[in-house]
Amino acid sequence: MIPGQFTYHRPDSLAEAVKLLASFGDEGRALAGGHSLVPMMKLRLASPAHLVDLHGIAGLKGITRDGNKIVIGAMTTQHDLLASAEIGSALPILQETAALIADPQVRYRGTIGGNVANGDPGNDMPALMMTLDASYRLEGPNGARDVAAAEFYQGAYFTALEPGEILSSVSIPEPPAGHGYAYEKLKRKVGDYATAAAAVILTMAGGKVATCAIGLTNLHETPLLATDAANAVIGTSLDAASLKKAAAAAVAIMAPAADARGPVDYRKHVGGIMVTRALQRAASRAS
Ligand SMILES: Cc1cc2nc3c(=O)[nH]c(=O)nc-3n(C[C@H](O)[C@H](O)[C@H](O)COP(=O)(O)OP(=O)(O)OC[C@H]3O[C@@H](n4cnc5c(N)ncnc54)[C@H](O)[C@@H]3O)c2cc1C
């Protein structure tokens, strides 16, 4: 339970943090809330020689608006998201999801940047970011670039982040007024990671689904966008047959690990149920 030795750095600018991380290469890691990284270090599953703490960098925290996009600084905590009136009105699904992450203690420290950069298939925010068509601003030794959340995840703990890059903000287009939303998460107990979870954002017109996006958490080594499942309900009134089709299309792309949360078939089965419930609840909220 005691991490290996490391040197602690606390830069006060993003440029300095990038410089430090670039110079350390594989030996350095950014430290945000520490609620994924520190447990990994205590278990010796990660042993970085240098930790670059991002807490001293002004400007990495906060929620702003840029046209129709909500821009969230990487060091904004899950608690900050839950306390924000702006997020509550523009992106209520973000609050619904944040409230299902761990417990208040973890949410006070854990950041949105750490949650989406971590690459753990069990993290809840990545699939939601894909569902919302979000993009990530990455700042590195060669300047800044924007990467769509849907392009970011390459495998368990493998992302598009290059050595020396820091994720500085998340940019989310505001969904249309009157959209329906739901994040359904099955977990073994309060505070647990998902056995299976699904995010849905949709709009309705004339009693039928006009647009729909569905994301899946912890049902593959990366978060997934269930595009065929979403297409199966567009143009329908979410009748029983189209819900069944959507759940089957989502199950078809799931490949969860068999672990303490259950065998593969069980996790796929409950994954389909999460999709059905999220679709129904999202539709009930749409106007
Ligand atoms: C008991 C417990 C239960 C939990 N349950 C859940 C859960 O149900 N759902 C869930 O989603 N999470 C859960 N978590 C994880 C928690 O949400 C973490 O806070 C989150 O995964 C990581 O965010 P962090 O700010 O703590 O990042 P850290 O732990 O500091 O960092 C995580 C990783 O991301 C990298 N990183 C961090 N920030 C950046 C950045 N800005 N740019 C580049 N790389 C960066 C770090 O180098 C590290 O590799 C749980 C944690 C605990 C301890």
Side-chain angles (χ1 to χ4, degrees):
M1 294 304 282
I2 298 173
Q5 278 204 337
F6 58 87
T7 307
Y8 174 83
H9 307 263
R10 193 177 164 106
D12 55 16
S13 74
L14 193 54
E16 180 63 16
V18 166
K19 206 168 144 196
L20 283 167
L21 278 173
S23 70
F24 300 142
D26 286 346
E27 298 285 290
R29 292 282 275 274
L31 175 70
H35 272 62
S36 286
L37 183 54
V38 174
M40 297 275 275
M41 289 170 64
K42 286 180 163 185
L43 293 168
R44 303 283 175 122
L45 294 171
S47 301
H50 297 272
L51 282 188
V52 179
D53 189 346
L54 305 181
H55 281 94
I57 304 171
L60 275 189
K61 196 171 165 138
I63 298 160
T64 53
R65 210 171 241 283
D66 178 11
N68 80 327
K69 293 190 171 157
I70 308 286
V71 181
I72 306 174
M75 292 299 284
T76 306
T77 64
Q78 312 292 352
H79 171 76
D80 294 332
L81 297 176
L82 287 166
S84 161
E86 175 102 51
I87 297 293
S89 68
L91 289 164
I93 193 169
L94 210 50
Q95 292 192 334
E96 181 159 289
T97 307
L100 291 170
I101 292 177
D103 49 52
Q105 226 175 335
V106 173
R107 296 196 290 262
Y108 274 120
R109 293 294 298 174
T111 65
I112 188 160
N115 198 294
V116 300
N118 192 29
D120 181 340
N123 280 135
D124 288 289
M125 287 293 169
L128 176 59
M129 292 304 139
M130 288 166 65
T131 309
L132 288 164
D133 196 22
S135 65
Y136 304 151
R137 169 64 55 96
L138 310 182
E139 314 255 0
N142 301 319
R145 63 189 179 116
D146 293 311
V147 176
E151 310 286 324
F152 186 75
Y153 300 97
Q154 300 172 347
Y157 297 101
F158 283 94
T159 68
L161 272 174
E162 296 287 347
E165 279 187 323
I166 291 175
L167 190 153
S168 59
S169 64
V170 172
S171 178
I172 308 173
E174 187 177 353
H179 73 278
Y181 66 91
Y183 190 71
E184 284 285 344
K185 175 173 175 179
L186 178 73
K187 45 190 178 172
R188 296 172 300 179
K189 60 179 178 59
V190 170
D192 195 16
Y193 288 89
T195 300
V200 168
I201 296 281
L202 54 70
T203 56
M204 305 286 289
K208 297 203 165 153
V209 179
T211 62
C212 181
I214 304 174
L216 305 174
T217 296
N218 223 5
L219 289 162
H220 198 275
E221 63 170 343
T222 61
L224 294 174
L225 259 188
T227 310
D228 288 347
N231 288 339
V233 295
I234 291 174
T236 76
S237 57
L238 276 186
D239 53 285
S242 55
L243 280 171
K244 205 170 158 189
K245 237 170 130 180
V251 169
I253 60 167
M254 295 173 191
D259 60 17
R261 292 182 178 81
V264 171
D265 286 348
Y266 167 73
R267 294 186 63 186
K268 286 165 75 165
H269 175 70
V270 293
I273 294 173
M274 293 304 105
V275 169
T276 308
R277 287 187 187 167
L279 281 167
Q280 286 174 314
R281 206 151 55 82
S284 75
R285 282 167 161 171
S287 56

